[in-house]
Amino acid sequence: MKKLLRLENLTFICALLGLVCGLFFPELAKHLSIFGELFILLLKMVIIPLVFVSVFLAIANQSSIKDLSRLGWLTAVYFISSSALACITGFIAGEFLPETASAGLRYENYEAAKMNSLSVKELVLSFFSANPFRSLSEGNIIQIVVLAMFIGLATLRISREKQQSLVRFFDALNDVVMVIISWILIVAPIGVFSLVAAVVAATDRSAFEGLLWFFLATAIALFIHVFVTYGALGFFFGRFHPYRFLFTIKKAILVALATASSNATLPVSTRVMIEKEKVRPQTANFVLPLGATLNMDGSSIYQTLLVIFMAGLVGIDINFTQQIYIFFLILISSWGTAGVPGGGIMMIGAVFQNVGIPLEYLGLYLLIDRFWDPFVTMVNVVGDLFGTKIIDRYIVSKEQHAST
Ligand code: ASP
């Protein structure tokens, strides 16, 4: 009984109860939505200090610039290759979409959406801000990461004594944030119940007719990416049991599903990796915040399939060179996708424009996205957690090798 009542199990049971409540008691689900909103607010409350402090500590705690650049390189290689593999999986799944996949969907049925597209130049510039306080008050995660990196790197250049006092201060702050996260997690079962119930109650299931093939292809592609791609990466590069790993990180998976936000899941992911998976804090604190903002493998798969599917709706024939173009477009788009619910909307609009898909189709996107966002977010988060574990394992084994 005690085991059954463990927090993760309870969270899982509450997610299922939420599903039942949303399906059969939609009115009740709407009344109870306050608990879910409160849970997200509490998670958001700790995100900014968590991101700033953890990125700062991850850099300032490195013993040398050499260690830091090794961690940076490994992270970049992992992010780029896992996103590329995700896109390829999306393309392969897209090959199996039958010509009739979109039968029955008429574009006039959907409300036109007005979009601003984001150019590569704007995307790069959006990483920086002239006013650090504005980035903090607006909760612009990517700008906060860049700011923390600058301050962390500069700290490595000041006297050892001053560096230590700064690190000690932020270390204490980090402990405080971790204690608050453990308190928030106590109410996770109620929050997850309420979030799942509210989403299920608000979903108009009849609108999904005609999308069966798209849904099937997306589900299979996401499944393959988690169980085959991450499974192989974890097994061959990280040398750990990938499925046991998936079981250990289940709390982060549930929170990702319930919140549909990589950023909101970050506090839970960090705790799970450091406490359960025993990953060194300097790796987790560096890779996870970056992953929650940049590495979106689920979004890459989903966006690739969406482009193929929507292009089919409009009658655009995608040849091989166009596939390569879309591949790079989606890579950039997934890096620019914000780790918030529906974060892909800004970027997918730009991709549609570049491919020649009318922006009116964003209405259809918004409809489908409600359903897919939790699953896509879950894959985004799982990708970051696998990456953190693989990179940490690699660095530890190299260090052990060097000391023998
Ligand atoms: N909701 C996703 C996330 O937070 C991003 C997306 O919309 O693709 O990871």
Side-chain angles (χ1 to χ4, degrees):
M1 189 64 187
K2 214 173 152 200
K3 199 168 172 225
L4 188 74
L5 288 181
R6 280 225 320 257
L7 212 57
E8 297 103 281
N9 297 342
L10 206 61
T11 312
F12 180 67
I13 295 167
C14 286
L16 292 181
L17 289 176
L19 190 76
V20 175
C21 175
L23 282 174
F24 300 106
F25 310 102
E27 279 310 309
L28 179 67
K30 275 175 209 154
H31 287 305
L32 295 178
S33 64
I34 179 168
F35 295 108
E37 283 167 33
L38 197 63
F39 178 55
I40 293 198
L41 271 182
L42 290 173
L43 284 171
K44 281 190 175 164
M45 180 180 81
V46 287
I47 291 173
I48 297 171
L50 176 73
V51 169
F52 184 84
V53 173
S54 56
V55 173
F56 169 81
L57 284 177
I59 294 176
N61 262 334
Q62 298 292 328
S63 40
S64 66
I65 296 272
K66 196 172 139 238
D67 284 351
L68 181 64
S69 57
R70 178 165 64 178
L71 185 58
W73 271 113
L74 286 171
T75 307
V77 167
Y78 176 81
F79 284 179
I80 295 171
S81 29
S82 71
S83 302
L85 288 170
C87 272
I88 294 169
T89 310
F91 273 116
I92 296 173
E95 287 295 318
F96 292 99
L97 276 178
E99 292 284 314
T100 53
S102 45
L105 287 173
R106 283 202 326 276
Y107 129 96
E108 294 83 6
N109 284 350
Y110 302 100
E111 199 184 303
K114 294 276 166 284
M115 278 298 311
N116 295 320
S117 67
L118 207 60
S119 68
V120 176
K121 180 183 164 197
E122 282 166 330
L123 179 67
V124 172
L125 289 180
S126 72
F127 284 20
F128 302 89
S129 164
N131 183 349
F133 295 104
R134 203 178 67 202
S135 315
L136 290 166
S137 72
E138 285 176 352
N140 189 320
I141 303 286
I142 193 77
Q143 290 177 359
I144 296 172
V145 168
V146 171
L147 177 68
M149 281 178 148
F150 269 119
I151 299 180
L153 282 170
T155 305
L156 290 175
R157 294 272 174 206
I158 61 177
S159 75
R160 187 95 188 128
E161 192 193 325
K162 286 178 181 164
Q163 184 184 335
Q164 285 307 320
S165 50
L166 211 55
V167 167
R168 259 201 303 277
F169 170 76
F170 280 111
D171 231 358
L173 199 60
N174 194 37
D175 288 352
V176 170
V177 174
M178 285 298 164
V179 172
I180 298 176
I181 295 171
S182 69
W183 289 343
I184 300 173
L185 285 179
I186 298 174
V187 296
I190 306 169
V192 167
F193 166 84
S194 157
L195 287 169
V196 173
V199 169
V200 174
T203 305
D204 175 10
R205 282 172 291 280
S206 65
F208 293 151
E209 281 165 28
L211 291 165
L212 180 74
W213 284 107
F214 172 77
F215 273 40
L216 214 60
T218 309
I220 292 172
L222 293 177
F223 183 88
I224 289 178
H225 195 68
V226 171
F227 287 94
V228 181
T229 311
Y230 292 148
L233 290 177
F235 188 76
F236 292 112
F237 292 99
R239 306 213 169 273
F240 59 88
H241 194 306
Y243 305 137
R244 210 174 292 147
F245 176 75
L246 277 175
F247 191 73
T248 325
I249 60 166
K250 58 184 179 299
K251 198 191 273 175
I253 293 182
L254 281 173
V255 173
L257 276 172
T259 58
S261 163
S262 304
N263 290 353
T265 314
L266 185 59
V268 186
S269 312
T270 310
R271 248 183 86 100
V272 165
M273 288 312 277
I274 295 175
E275 289 185 2
K276 296 232 152 143
E277 277 297 327
K278 307 287 177 231
V279 164
R280 296 169 321 145
Q282 53 277 45
T283 313
N285 287 338
F286 185 83
V287 183
L288 288 174
L290 281 178
T293 41
L294 290 174
N295 189 42
M296 306 281 177
D297 296 350
S299 306
S300 304
I301 294 179
Y302 178 58
Q303 292 179 5
T304 307
L305 272 163
L306 263 175
V307 169
I308 297 173
F309 177 70
M310 301 271 185
L313 277 184
V314 195
I316 301 173
D317 217 11
I318 303 174
N319 61 28
F320 186 65
T321 23
Q322 281 162 330
Q323 274 186 349
I324 294 178
Y325 174 69
I326 294 174
F327 172 83
F328 284 109
L329 215 54
I330 299 280
L331 274 192
I332 295 171
S333 162
S334 71
W335 295 332
T337 295
V340 295
I345 183 77
M346 277 299 286
M347 298 310 295
I348 198 76
V351 175
F352 278 11
Q353 268 191 338
N354 280 278
V355 177
I357 299 169
L359 285 182
E360 279 74 7
Y361 278 89
L362 282 170
L364 177 57
Y365 166 83
L366 288 173
L367 183 78
I368 312 174
D369 195 48
R370 247 209 202 161
F371 176 85
W372 281 108
D373 205 8
F375 302 102
V376 165
T377 308
M378 179 186 74
V379 178
N380 290 342
V381 169
V382 169
D384 298 339
L385 299 187
F386 262 94
T388 311
K389 177 90 179 170
I390 293 169
I391 292 168
D392 195 58
R393 276 286 179 110
Y394 182 84
I395 294 176
V396 170
S397 76
K398 281 273 169 238
E399 279 171 4
Q400 278 168 353
H401 198 71
S403 65
T404 54

PDB file of all heavy atoms in Angstrom, residues 66-67 70-71 74 236-239 280 283 389-404:
ATOM      1  N   LYS A  66      38.656  24.184 -20.222  1.00  0.00           N
ATOM      2  CA  LYS A  66      38.738  22.973 -21.058  1.00  0.00           C
ATOM      3  C   LYS A  66      37.551  22.040 -20.750  1.00  0.00           C
ATOM      4  O   LYS A  66      36.885  21.531 -21.645  1.00  0.00           O
ATOM      5  CB  LYS A  66      40.071  22.258 -20.785  1.00  0.00           C
ATOM      6  CG  LYS A  66      40.440  21.246 -21.832  1.00  0.00           C
ATOM      7  CD  LYS A  66      41.839  20.718 -21.605  1.00  0.00           C
ATOM      8  CE  LYS A  66      41.838  19.229 -21.850  1.00  0.00           C
ATOM      9  NZ  LYS A  66      42.270  18.424 -20.756  1.00  0.00           N
ATOM     10  N   ASP A  67      37.274  21.859 -19.439  1.00  0.00           N
ATOM     11  CA  ASP A  67      36.136  21.010 -19.040  1.00  0.00           C
ATOM     12  C   ASP A  67      34.834  21.575 -19.588  1.00  0.00           C
ATOM     13  O   ASP A  67      33.971  20.854 -20.063  1.00  0.00           O
ATOM     14  CB  ASP A  67      36.012  20.954 -17.507  1.00  0.00           C
ATOM     15  CG  ASP A  67      37.060  20.038 -16.911  1.00  0.00           C
ATOM     16  OD1 ASP A  67      37.725  19.347 -17.690  1.00  0.00           O
ATOM     17  OD2 ASP A  67      37.219  20.049 -15.679  1.00  0.00           O
ATOM     18  N   ARG A  70      34.461  21.084 -23.272  1.00  0.00           N
ATOM     19  CA  ARG A  70      34.133  19.696 -23.599  1.00  0.00           C
ATOM     20  C   ARG A  70      32.631  19.441 -23.383  1.00  0.00           C
ATOM     21  O   ARG A  70      31.951  18.874 -24.238  1.00  0.00           O
ATOM     22  CB  ARG A  70      34.958  18.738 -22.728  1.00  0.00           C
ATOM     23  CG  ARG A  70      34.598  17.286 -23.010  1.00  0.00           C
ATOM     24  CD  ARG A  70      35.586  16.326 -22.475  1.00  0.00           C
ATOM     25  NE  ARG A  70      35.648  16.397 -21.014  1.00  0.00           N
ATOM     26  CZ  ARG A  70      36.420  15.618 -20.272  1.00  0.00           C
ATOM     27  NH1 ARG A  70      37.223  14.765 -20.856  1.00  0.00           N
ATOM     28  NH2 ARG A  70      36.434  15.724 -18.966  1.00  0.00           N
ATOM     29  N   LEU A  71      32.118  19.952 -22.247  1.00  0.00           N
ATOM     30  CA  LEU A  71      30.682  19.790 -21.963  1.00  0.00           C
ATOM     31  C   LEU A  71      29.843  20.495 -23.039  1.00  0.00           C
ATOM     32  O   LEU A  71      28.850  19.960 -23.535  1.00  0.00           O
ATOM     33  CB  LEU A  71      30.382  20.377 -20.570  1.00  0.00           C
ATOM     34  CG  LEU A  71      28.969  20.207 -20.023  1.00  0.00           C
ATOM     35  CD1 LEU A  71      28.580  18.744 -19.939  1.00  0.00           C
ATOM     36  CD2 LEU A  71      28.853  20.847 -18.641  1.00  0.00           C
ATOM     37  N   LEU A  74      30.001  18.485 -26.371  1.00  0.00           N
ATOM     38  CA  LEU A  74      29.212  17.243 -26.304  1.00  0.00           C
ATOM     39  C   LEU A  74      27.720  17.561 -26.370  1.00  0.00           C
ATOM     40  O   LEU A  74      26.950  16.880 -27.059  1.00  0.00           O
ATOM     41  CB  LEU A  74      29.512  16.486 -25.000  1.00  0.00           C
ATOM     42  CG  LEU A  74      30.857  15.775 -24.951  1.00  0.00           C
ATOM     43  CD1 LEU A  74      31.138  15.244 -23.543  1.00  0.00           C
ATOM     44  CD2 LEU A  74      30.872  14.617 -25.944  1.00  0.00           C
ATOM     45  N   PHE A 236      24.160   2.203 -26.560  1.00  0.00           N
ATOM     46  CA  PHE A 236      25.496   2.144 -27.169  1.00  0.00           C
ATOM     47  C   PHE A 236      26.425   3.260 -26.704  1.00  0.00           C
ATOM     48  O   PHE A 236      27.602   3.039 -26.496  1.00  0.00           O
ATOM     49  CB  PHE A 236      25.389   2.158 -28.704  1.00  0.00           C
ATOM     50  CG  PHE A 236      24.769   0.889 -29.224  1.00  0.00           C
ATOM     51  CD1 PHE A 236      23.517   0.902 -29.822  1.00  0.00           C
ATOM     52  CD2 PHE A 236      25.422  -0.327 -29.089  1.00  0.00           C
ATOM     53  CE1 PHE A 236      22.917  -0.267 -30.284  1.00  0.00           C
ATOM     54  CE2 PHE A 236      24.846  -1.508 -29.542  1.00  0.00           C
ATOM     55  CZ  PHE A 236      23.591  -1.476 -30.135  1.00  0.00           C
ATOM     56  N   PHE A 237      25.884   4.493 -26.549  1.00  0.00           N
ATOM     57  CA  PHE A 237      26.774   5.600 -26.166  1.00  0.00           C
ATOM     58  C   PHE A 237      26.790   5.821 -24.657  1.00  0.00           C
ATOM     59  O   PHE A 237      27.812   6.189 -24.104  1.00  0.00           O
ATOM     60  CB  PHE A 237      26.378   6.887 -26.894  1.00  0.00           C
ATOM     61  CG  PHE A 237      26.630   6.810 -28.364  1.00  0.00           C
ATOM     62  CD1 PHE A 237      25.609   6.528 -29.258  1.00  0.00           C
ATOM     63  CD2 PHE A 237      27.919   7.006 -28.861  1.00  0.00           C
ATOM     64  CE1 PHE A 237      25.849   6.431 -30.617  1.00  0.00           C
ATOM     65  CE2 PHE A 237      28.167   6.917 -30.219  1.00  0.00           C
ATOM     66  CZ  PHE A 237      27.133   6.621 -31.104  1.00  0.00           C
ATOM     67  N   GLY A 238      25.638   5.640 -24.009  1.00  0.00           N
ATOM     68  CA  GLY A 238      25.594   5.891 -22.562  1.00  0.00           C
ATOM     69  C   GLY A 238      25.890   4.630 -21.763  1.00  0.00           C
ATOM     70  O   GLY A 238      26.165   4.693 -20.586  1.00  0.00           O
ATOM     71  N   ARG A 239      25.789   3.480 -22.399  1.00  0.00           N
ATOM     72  CA  ARG A 239      25.998   2.188 -21.741  1.00  0.00           C
ATOM     73  C   ARG A 239      25.098   2.013 -20.516  1.00  0.00           C
ATOM     74  O   ARG A 239      25.550   1.639 -19.449  1.00  0.00           O
ATOM     75  CB  ARG A 239      27.470   1.982 -21.349  1.00  0.00           C
ATOM     76  CG  ARG A 239      28.412   2.160 -22.505  1.00  0.00           C
ATOM     77  CD  ARG A 239      29.636   1.266 -22.427  1.00  0.00           C
ATOM     78  NE  ARG A 239      30.377   1.292 -23.678  1.00  0.00           N
ATOM     79  CZ  ARG A 239      30.126   0.489 -24.712  1.00  0.00           C
ATOM     80  NH1 ARG A 239      29.193  -0.422 -24.624  1.00  0.00           N
ATOM     81  NH2 ARG A 239      30.821   0.596 -25.825  1.00  0.00           N
ATOM     82  N   ARG A 280      25.833  13.979 -12.295  1.00  0.00           N
ATOM     83  CA  ARG A 280      26.534  15.049 -11.574  1.00  0.00           C
ATOM     84  C   ARG A 280      25.819  16.393 -11.833  1.00  0.00           C
ATOM     85  O   ARG A 280      25.472  16.692 -12.988  1.00  0.00           O
ATOM     86  CB  ARG A 280      27.995  15.128 -12.032  1.00  0.00           C
ATOM     87  CG  ARG A 280      28.788  13.861 -11.681  1.00  0.00           C
ATOM     88  CD  ARG A 280      30.116  13.834 -12.354  1.00  0.00           C
ATOM     89  NE  ARG A 280      30.008  14.366 -13.704  1.00  0.00           N
ATOM     90  CZ  ARG A 280      30.949  15.068 -14.311  1.00  0.00           C
ATOM     91  NH1 ARG A 280      32.079  15.313 -13.698  1.00  0.00           N
ATOM     92  NH2 ARG A 280      30.772  15.500 -15.524  1.00  0.00           N
ATOM     93  N   THR A 283      26.681  18.600 -14.821  1.00  0.00           N
ATOM     94  CA  THR A 283      26.181  18.214 -16.155  1.00  0.00           C
ATOM     95  C   THR A 283      24.686  18.526 -16.260  1.00  0.00           C
ATOM     96  O   THR A 283      24.240  19.158 -17.223  1.00  0.00           O
ATOM     97  CB  THR A 283      26.392  16.697 -16.414  1.00  0.00           C
ATOM     98  OG1 THR A 283      27.708  16.351 -16.060  1.00  0.00           O
ATOM     99  CG2 THR A 283      26.111  16.340 -17.848  1.00  0.00           C
ATOM    100  N   LYS A 389      22.075  12.154 -19.411  1.00  0.00           N
ATOM    101  CA  LYS A 389      22.657  10.918 -18.872  1.00  0.00           C
ATOM    102  C   LYS A 389      23.824  10.433 -19.755  1.00  0.00           C
ATOM    103  O   LYS A 389      24.875  10.059 -19.251  1.00  0.00           O
ATOM    104  CB  LYS A 389      21.548   9.857 -18.805  1.00  0.00           C
ATOM    105  CG  LYS A 389      21.979   8.508 -18.332  1.00  0.00           C
ATOM    106  CD  LYS A 389      21.871   8.366 -16.850  1.00  0.00           C
ATOM    107  CE  LYS A 389      22.306   6.958 -16.412  1.00  0.00           C
ATOM    108  NZ  LYS A 389      22.429   6.851 -14.984  1.00  0.00           N
ATOM    109  N   ILE A 390      23.616  10.474 -21.084  1.00  0.00           N
ATOM    110  CA  ILE A 390      24.656   9.986 -21.996  1.00  0.00           C
ATOM    111  C   ILE A 390      25.914  10.850 -21.856  1.00  0.00           C
ATOM    112  O   ILE A 390      27.033  10.345 -21.726  1.00  0.00           O
ATOM    113  CB  ILE A 390      24.147   9.999 -23.467  1.00  0.00           C
ATOM    114  CG1 ILE A 390      23.032   8.972 -23.644  1.00  0.00           C
ATOM    115  CG2 ILE A 390      25.281   9.728 -24.453  1.00  0.00           C
ATOM    116  CD1 ILE A 390      22.278   9.052 -24.949  1.00  0.00           C
ATOM    117  N   ILE A 391      25.727  12.172 -21.866  1.00  0.00           N
ATOM    118  CA  ILE A 391      26.882  13.083 -21.787  1.00  0.00           C
ATOM    119  C   ILE A 391      27.610  12.894 -20.455  1.00  0.00           C
ATOM    120  O   ILE A 391      28.838  12.797 -20.403  1.00  0.00           O
ATOM    121  CB  ILE A 391      26.416  14.551 -21.969  1.00  0.00           C
ATOM    122  CG1 ILE A 391      25.916  14.757 -23.400  1.00  0.00           C
ATOM    123  CG2 ILE A 391      27.535  15.539 -21.640  1.00  0.00           C
ATOM    124  CD1 ILE A 391      25.169  16.057 -23.639  1.00  0.00           C
ATOM    125  N   ASP A 392      26.844  12.781 -19.367  1.00  0.00           N
ATOM    126  CA  ASP A 392      27.479  12.616 -18.056  1.00  0.00           C
ATOM    127  C   ASP A 392      28.268  11.310 -18.000  1.00  0.00           C
ATOM    128  O   ASP A 392      29.401  11.272 -17.532  1.00  0.00           O
ATOM    129  CB  ASP A 392      26.406  12.643 -16.963  1.00  0.00           C
ATOM    130  CG  ASP A 392      27.037  12.843 -15.599  1.00  0.00           C
ATOM    131  OD1 ASP A 392      27.722  13.875 -15.429  1.00  0.00           O
ATOM    132  OD2 ASP A 392      26.868  11.987 -14.712  1.00  0.00           O
ATOM    133  N   ARG A 393      27.661  10.238 -18.495  1.00  0.00           N
ATOM    134  CA  ARG A 393      28.330   8.933 -18.500  1.00  0.00           C
ATOM    135  C   ARG A 393      29.644   9.015 -19.273  1.00  0.00           C
ATOM    136  O   ARG A 393      30.669   8.482 -18.873  1.00  0.00           O
ATOM    137  CB  ARG A 393      27.438   7.893 -19.177  1.00  0.00           C
ATOM    138  CG  ARG A 393      26.404   7.273 -18.288  1.00  0.00           C
ATOM    139  CD  ARG A 393      27.114   6.316 -17.357  1.00  0.00           C
ATOM    140  NE  ARG A 393      26.210   5.677 -16.444  1.00  0.00           N
ATOM    141  CZ  ARG A 393      25.895   4.383 -16.516  1.00  0.00           C
ATOM    142  NH1 ARG A 393      26.383   3.624 -17.459  1.00  0.00           N
ATOM    143  NH2 ARG A 393      25.105   3.853 -15.622  1.00  0.00           N
ATOM    144  N   TYR A 394      29.573   9.694 -20.414  1.00  0.00           N
ATOM    145  CA  TYR A 394      30.737   9.790 -21.293  1.00  0.00           C
ATOM    146  C   TYR A 394      31.873  10.530 -20.582  1.00  0.00           C
ATOM    147  O   TYR A 394      33.016  10.078 -20.561  1.00  0.00           O
ATOM    148  CB  TYR A 394      30.324  10.521 -22.586  1.00  0.00           C
ATOM    149  CG  TYR A 394      31.432  10.633 -23.587  1.00  0.00           C
ATOM    150  CD1 TYR A 394      31.710   9.587 -24.465  1.00  0.00           C
ATOM    151  CD2 TYR A 394      32.219  11.781 -23.659  1.00  0.00           C
ATOM    152  CE1 TYR A 394      32.737   9.678 -25.375  1.00  0.00           C
ATOM    153  CE2 TYR A 394      33.245  11.884 -24.575  1.00  0.00           C
ATOM    154  CZ  TYR A 394      33.499  10.838 -25.427  1.00  0.00           C
ATOM    155  OH  TYR A 394      34.525  10.936 -26.328  1.00  0.00           O
ATOM    156  N   ILE A 395      31.525  11.674 -19.957  1.00  0.00           N
ATOM    157  CA  ILE A 395      32.566  12.475 -19.296  1.00  0.00           C
ATOM    158  C   ILE A 395      33.161  11.701 -18.122  1.00  0.00           C
ATOM    159  O   ILE A 395      34.385  11.634 -17.962  1.00  0.00           O
ATOM    160  CB  ILE A 395      31.989  13.833 -18.813  1.00  0.00           C
ATOM    161  CG1 ILE A 395      31.580  14.680 -20.021  1.00  0.00           C
ATOM    162  CG2 ILE A 395      32.998  14.584 -17.965  1.00  0.00           C
ATOM    163  CD1 ILE A 395      30.920  15.988 -19.681  1.00  0.00           C
ATOM    164  N   VAL A 396      32.298  11.058 -17.328  1.00  0.00           N
ATOM    165  CA  VAL A 396      32.796  10.307 -16.164  1.00  0.00           C
ATOM    166  C   VAL A 396      33.718   9.180 -16.631  1.00  0.00           C
ATOM    167  O   VAL A 396      34.802   8.979 -16.071  1.00  0.00           O
ATOM    168  CB  VAL A 396      31.603   9.748 -15.330  1.00  0.00           C
ATOM    169  CG1 VAL A 396      32.086   8.768 -14.277  1.00  0.00           C
ATOM    170  CG2 VAL A 396      30.848  10.888 -14.671  1.00  0.00           C
ATOM    171  N   SER A 397      33.323   8.475 -17.691  1.00  0.00           N
ATOM    172  CA  SER A 397      34.171   7.361 -18.130  1.00  0.00           C
ATOM    173  C   SER A 397      35.510   7.865 -18.666  1.00  0.00           C
ATOM    174  O   SER A 397      36.551   7.260 -18.458  1.00  0.00           O
ATOM    175  CB  SER A 397      33.452   6.482 -19.154  1.00  0.00           C
ATOM    176  OG  SER A 397      33.441   7.121 -20.395  1.00  0.00           O
ATOM    177  N   LYS A 398      35.488   9.031 -19.344  1.00  0.00           N
ATOM    178  CA  LYS A 398      36.751   9.594 -19.849  1.00  0.00           C
ATOM    179  C   LYS A 398      37.662   9.975 -18.682  1.00  0.00           C
ATOM    180  O   LYS A 398      38.870   9.740 -18.721  1.00  0.00           O
ATOM    181  CB  LYS A 398      36.468  10.864 -20.681  1.00  0.00           C
ATOM    182  CG  LYS A 398      35.995  10.563 -22.077  1.00  0.00           C
ATOM    183  CD  LYS A 398      37.165  10.373 -23.023  1.00  0.00           C
ATOM    184  CE  LYS A 398      36.713   9.803 -24.345  1.00  0.00           C
ATOM    185  NZ  LYS A 398      37.251   8.606 -24.809  1.00  0.00           N
ATOM    186  N   GLU A 399      37.040  10.557 -17.631  1.00  0.00           N
ATOM    187  CA  GLU A 399      37.851  10.976 -16.481  1.00  0.00           C
ATOM    188  C   GLU A 399      38.449   9.765 -15.781  1.00  0.00           C
ATOM    189  O   GLU A 399      39.612   9.776 -15.382  1.00  0.00           O
ATOM    190  CB  GLU A 399      36.989  11.785 -15.496  1.00  0.00           C
ATOM    191  CG  GLU A 399      36.840  13.227 -15.955  1.00  0.00           C
ATOM    192  CD  GLU A 399      35.822  14.023 -15.155  1.00  0.00           C
ATOM    193  OE1 GLU A 399      35.271  13.484 -14.176  1.00  0.00           O
ATOM    194  OE2 GLU A 399      35.584  15.195 -15.534  1.00  0.00           O
ATOM    195  N   GLN A 400      37.620   8.697 -15.672  1.00  0.00           N
ATOM    196  CA  GLN A 400      38.133   7.478 -15.010  1.00  0.00           C
ATOM    197  C   GLN A 400      39.276   6.890 -15.820  1.00  0.00           C
ATOM    198  O   GLN A 400      40.290   6.476 -15.297  1.00  0.00           O
ATOM    199  CB  GLN A 400      37.012   6.456 -14.870  1.00  0.00           C
ATOM    200  CG  GLN A 400      36.133   6.730 -13.670  1.00  0.00           C
ATOM    201  CD  GLN A 400      34.856   5.902 -13.697  1.00  0.00           C
ATOM    202  OE1 GLN A 400      34.577   5.229 -14.688  1.00  0.00           O
ATOM    203  NE2 GLN A 400      34.095   5.979 -12.612  1.00  0.00           N
ATOM    204  N   HIS A 401      39.099   6.941 -17.131  1.00  0.00           N
ATOM    205  CA  HIS A 401      40.110   6.399 -18.033  1.00  0.00           C
ATOM    206  C   HIS A 401      41.422   7.157 -17.874  1.00  0.00           C
ATOM    207  O   HIS A 401      42.490   6.574 -17.807  1.00  0.00           O
ATOM    208  CB  HIS A 401      39.581   6.518 -19.456  1.00  0.00           C
ATOM    209  CG  HIS A 401      40.300   5.640 -20.427  1.00  0.00           C
ATOM    210  ND1 HIS A 401      40.146   4.288 -20.415  1.00  0.00           N
ATOM    211  CD2 HIS A 401      41.178   5.945 -21.410  1.00  0.00           C
ATOM    212  CE1 HIS A 401      40.902   3.778 -21.366  1.00  0.00           C
ATOM    213  NE2 HIS A 401      41.540   4.763 -21.989  1.00  0.00           N
ATOM    214  N   ALA A 402      41.283   8.502 -17.792  1.00  0.00           N
ATOM    215  CA  ALA A 402      42.477   9.345 -17.705  1.00  0.00           C
ATOM    216  C   ALA A 402      43.213   9.144 -16.383  1.00  0.00           C
ATOM    217  O   ALA A 402      44.441   9.245 -16.318  1.00  0.00           O
ATOM    218  CB  ALA A 402      42.079  10.806 -17.853  1.00  0.00           C
ATOM    219  N   SER A 403      42.449   8.822 -15.310  1.00  0.00           N
ATOM    220  CA  SER A 403      43.108   8.693 -13.998  1.00  0.00           C
ATOM    221  C   SER A 403      43.684   7.305 -13.773  1.00  0.00           C
ATOM    222  O   SER A 403      44.356   7.055 -12.780  1.00  0.00           O
ATOM    223  CB  SER A 403      42.126   9.042 -12.870  1.00  0.00           C
ATOM    224  OG  SER A 403      41.098   8.097 -12.862  1.00  0.00           O
ATOM    225  N   THR A 404      43.399   6.351 -14.688  1.00  0.00           N
ATOM    226  CA  THR A 404      43.995   5.008 -14.484  1.00  0.00           C
ATOM    227  C   THR A 404      45.280   4.854 -15.300  1.00  0.00           C
ATOM    228  O   THR A 404      45.538   5.536 -16.223  1.00  0.00           O
ATOM    229  CB  THR A 404      43.015   3.871 -14.878  1.00  0.00           C
ATOM    230  OG1 THR A 404      42.577   4.114 -16.217  1.00  0.00           O
ATOM    231  CG2 THR A 404      41.853   3.789 -13.917  1.00  0.00           C
TER     232      THR A 404
END
